[in-house]
Amino acid sequence: MSSLPTLSGPLRVFLTGASSGIGMALARAYAAQGASLGLVARRGTELDALRASLPHPERHRVYALDVTDHAALAAAAESFMAEFGGADVVIANAGISQGTLTEYQEDLAAFERILAVNVTATFATFTPFVARMKALPEAQRRRCRLVGIGSVAGIRGLPGAEAYSASKAAVISYCESLRVELRASGIKVVTIAPGYIDTPMTRVNTYPMPFLMPVERFAERSVASIAEGVSYRVIPWQMGVVAKLLRLLPNWLYDMAFARAPHKTRNL
């Protein structure tokens, strides 16, 4: 087992959902800073290609698995910590989105899958690391970050996206609970709530997406926010303003304004 890095040494980053979109952009941003990465996703071929494209590919490890396989996820986390002596930043980024409508019984399976990937797997991603981080000396604990990826869709429920909105609201609330729980330890719990980011997940949307941000810029701002140790940040900031305004709207006005909002496509 390698020794723990010094406070000025390269970061060790464990990242789920790394094979595309936000996860891939975060991997590239951290690799450019010299970090050692543990990259998790279902698609092994895409992970291998990503690793080969990064600076110093020998510093990175890939783990092809489904994050709902909690035993495999825990084994990957243990393998990464054993090889690199721990982890400094753990990012639970894996997520899926699909339109769901409660009136259709056949959408129940999609609802359960979205919650399993977006919520339960966030818990399962963090679990192997918390005790190890808490056992570190205080100065090293203050370097540690547990990062949950929420969404502005979790701030107010969107029509036709019951499962996705519910899952991201749960991530935001869960990370807040964990943040308070770990406050005395010095370990920072960071919630990043993306607005509309240009990724394969959003490119299928057929409705306008205000303040659409290139994924590379989103990754840069996220990495900076994580390093800062912010508790919660909406990126881009314009969507943060919109989200605050939406939160202030009384229910009757919000309902009237969004009752006919465009729906995300149901994948039948």
Side-chain angles (χ1 to χ4, degrees):
M1 181 183 297
S2 61
S3 60
L4 290 170
T6 64
L7 292 179
S8 59
L11 288 174
R12 302 159 299 177
V13 179
F14 189 85
L15 168 66
T16 66
S19 64
S20 66
I22 286 173
M24 178 181 287
L26 288 169
R28 294 193 185 282
Y30 275 113
Q33 293 185 354
S36 296
L37 305 178
L39 304 171
V40 177
R42 288 179 300 164
R43 299 174 294 180
T45 301
E46 284 82 352
L47 281 179
D48 289 337
L50 172 60
R51 177 178 178 269
S53 73
L54 297 176
H56 302 288
E58 72 280 359
R59 295 181 183 174
H60 316 306
R61 299 294 177 266
V62 299
Y63 307 97
L65 58 90
D66 190 315
V67 291
T68 62
D69 185 342
H70 301 153
L73 182 57
E78 293 293 342
S79 176
F80 182 78
M81 288 189 286
E83 183 164 359
F84 293 97
D88 304 296
V89 178
V90 179
I91 306 175
N93 167 71
I96 56 176
S97 177
Q98 179 179 332
T100 51
L101 292 174
T102 303
E103 65 188 281
Y104 295 104
Q105 176 67 27
E106 60 267 30
D107 283 13
L108 178 60
F111 200 106
E112 291 177 329
R113 174 69 179 170
I114 289 168
L115 292 179
V117 173
N118 296 5
V119 184
T120 307
T122 297
F123 178 98
T125 299
F126 292 160
T127 297
F129 296 96
V130 174
R132 301 286 187 90
M133 288 179 171
K134 290 176 74 173
L136 293 170
E138 181 180 0
Q140 291 180 340
R141 290 199 305 271
R142 295 190 179 280
R143 190 188 193 196
C144 294
R145 305 284 188 268
L146 299 172
V147 184
I149 304 298
S151 170
V152 294
I155 296 170
R156 297 219 66 160
L158 298 177
E162 294 102 329
Y164 187 71
S165 290
S167 74
K168 292 305 184 179
V171 168
I172 292 169
S173 183
Y174 162 66
C175 287
E176 182 171 64
S177 178
L178 184 61
R179 183 181 77 241
V180 176
E181 178 186 332
L182 295 178
R183 183 177 185 275
S185 72
I187 299 167
K188 300 290 188 182
V189 179
V190 177
T191 305
I192 301 293
Y196 289 114
I197 310 302
D198 186 11
T199 67
M201 182 183 290
T202 59
R203 287 173 199 150
V204 302
N205 294 340
T206 58
Y207 46 81
M209 293 179 284
F211 311 116
L212 182 67
M213 173 178 274
V215 70
E216 295 81 9
R217 190 182 308 166
F218 170 84
E220 291 172 4
R221 295 187 182 180
S222 296
V223 168
S225 297
I226 292 165
E228 185 183 343
V230 301
S231 59
Y232 174 84
R233 180 157 290 165
V234 178
I235 302 173
W237 67 266
Q238 295 95 330
M239 284 302 295
V241 174
V242 172
K244 287 181 180 179
L245 292 174
L246 290 177
R247 187 69 272 174
L248 293 173
L249 287 180
N251 286 347
W252 69 267
L253 183 55
Y254 177 81
D255 294 353
M256 185 172 64
F258 279 81
R260 297 189 178 184
H263 286 35
K264 183 173 284 291
T265 302
R266 293 173 63 236
N267 297 326
L268 300 180

